[in-house]
Amino acid sequence: ITLGDASRGRVVFEGKGDCARCHRVGGRGPRVAPELTAIGRMRPPSAIRRSILDPTGSMRPINRTVQLVTADGTQVAGRRLNEDTYTVQLIDEEERLRSFDKADLREFTVLTESPMPSYAEDLNAQELADLLAYLVSLKG
């Protein structure tokens, strides 16, 4: 794993990568994708790199997007935050925390494809190394 310059990586994160459109760091940004403030403490560089290059292949089950239809026909999509036998909690696309009883749902689907794009073709080797250095530096 090659780490580049973290300050340049922050520029990639906020600019070309457009990561800040979905991810939150240090209290800034939306909550629709996983929080990254402490990602460098929580995951090794190899796992972070894998997430950048193959988001679907490295997606943690709890972070999967769910789509559901309520009893009245309302369609809701969002990132799953918690789930047990009877309920599911998610954060919807408008950043609202929502909780549903599964027995009251017409449909409940857990998607297997990540909404995050792969950056394998979008970032050159230096940009990837810089972005990785920035993410590894995020210790919370």
Side-chain angles (χ1 to χ4, degrees), residues 91-116:
I91 188 158
D92 71 13
E93 295 161 339
E94 296 174 9
E95 296 188 45
R96 294 179 297 187
L97 182 60
R98 313 272 307 264
S99 182
F100 299 92
D101 289 327
K102 289 181 178 178
D104 297 335
L105 299 176
R106 280 192 207 168
E107 294 178 30
F108 176 69
T109 306
V110 179
L111 303 181
T112 57
E113 188 168 325
S114 175
M116 181 175 147

Side-chain angles (χ1 to χ4, degrees), residues 6 12 15 17 19 41 43 47 50 52-53 69 71 84 88 91-92 99 109 114 129 133:
V12 173
C19 310
R41 188 181 72 227
R43 298 184 72 195
R50 199 169 34 254
I52 295 168
L53 299 177
V69 178
D84 60 30
V88 61
I91 188 158
D92 71 13
S99 182
T109 306
S114 175

